[in-house]
Amino acid sequence: KTSIRTNGEIPNAEQPTVAQAELSPTKVRPGGTLQLVFKVKVAPTWHIYAAGGPQGPGVHTTLKLTLPEGVEAEGEWICPEPVRSLDGQMIYEGAIEFRRRLRVAKGAAYGPIDVSCDFGYQACDRFSCQLPTRVVLRASAGIVAKTIEGR
């Protein structure tokens, strides 16, 4: 069972986390850069655990990127600033974004590119936690000879 939905749906107690992946811009030339953004919404009173936080009873958020040939990640993930929960763990609440800069190789072939990321997390409220969840989020763009701006 996957407890994640996409496309701007609103999270609720049964499915407290919704997420979607986006690449910007959607068209890029060889040698150009893209921004991969994961937009995550967590239902009110719920949270997910921060990425790379100290180990505790909750399962921390993980992001494992899978890139097509000719596309490389630049730098590390830019993660939202976590807050400290009542039990002292670092958590994310509300609307959050994870970002990663990607570079297309100068010799990359024209055509569509698909990026995917294995998103692992555990959603909890004050009274209970759901089982840890892993879902693959995908985003697409195209490598083109010219962008709309002509650059």
Side-chain angles (χ1 to χ4, degrees):
K1 176 184 152 194
T2 299
S3 64
I4 198 159
R5 298 172 300 164
T6 59
N7 301 328
E9 293 185 48
I10 298 171
N12 58 39
E14 287 77 41
Q15 295 188 326
T17 307
V18 296
Q20 65 185 36
E22 297 175 359
L23 279 170
S24 177
T26 56
K27 295 187 184 332
V28 64
R29 293 180 64 186
T33 60
L34 297 162
Q35 180 87 258
L36 175 62
V37 180
F38 289 130
K39 295 182 177 185
V40 181
K41 293 180 194 170
V42 182
T45 75
W46 287 80
H47 62 266
I48 61 175
Y49 293 95
Q55 293 304 313
V59 175
H60 292 276
T61 297
T62 57
L63 299 160
K64 184 178 177 194
L65 198 54
T66 302
L67 299 173
E69 187 174 331
V71 178
E72 292 183 350
E74 284 192 340
E76 297 300 316
W77 285 101
I78 299 169
C79 296
E81 194 64 39
V83 296
R84 192 171 298 281
S85 67
L86 295 174
D87 66 1
Q89 291 204 70
M90 300 307 285
I91 60 170
Y92 302 128
E93 298 175 301
I96 53 179
E97 290 185 354
F98 299 92
R99 296 177 174 270
R100 190 93 185 250
R101 184 179 163 121
L102 307 177
R103 179 163 301 277
V104 177
K106 289 188 193 299
Y110 300 133
I113 55 171
D114 294 305
V115 173
S116 65
C117 184
D118 183 24
F119 174 51
Y121 67 95
Q122 185 174 26
C124 300
D125 67 7
R126 282 184 32 212
F127 308 106
S128 66
C129 287
Q130 292 191 336
L131 291 174
T133 301
R134 289 178 59 183
V135 69
V136 176
L137 298 174
R138 291 183 169 80
S140 299
I143 300 175
V144 296
K146 279 189 174 181
T147 58
I148 293 170
E149 298 84 27
R151 291 182 284 159

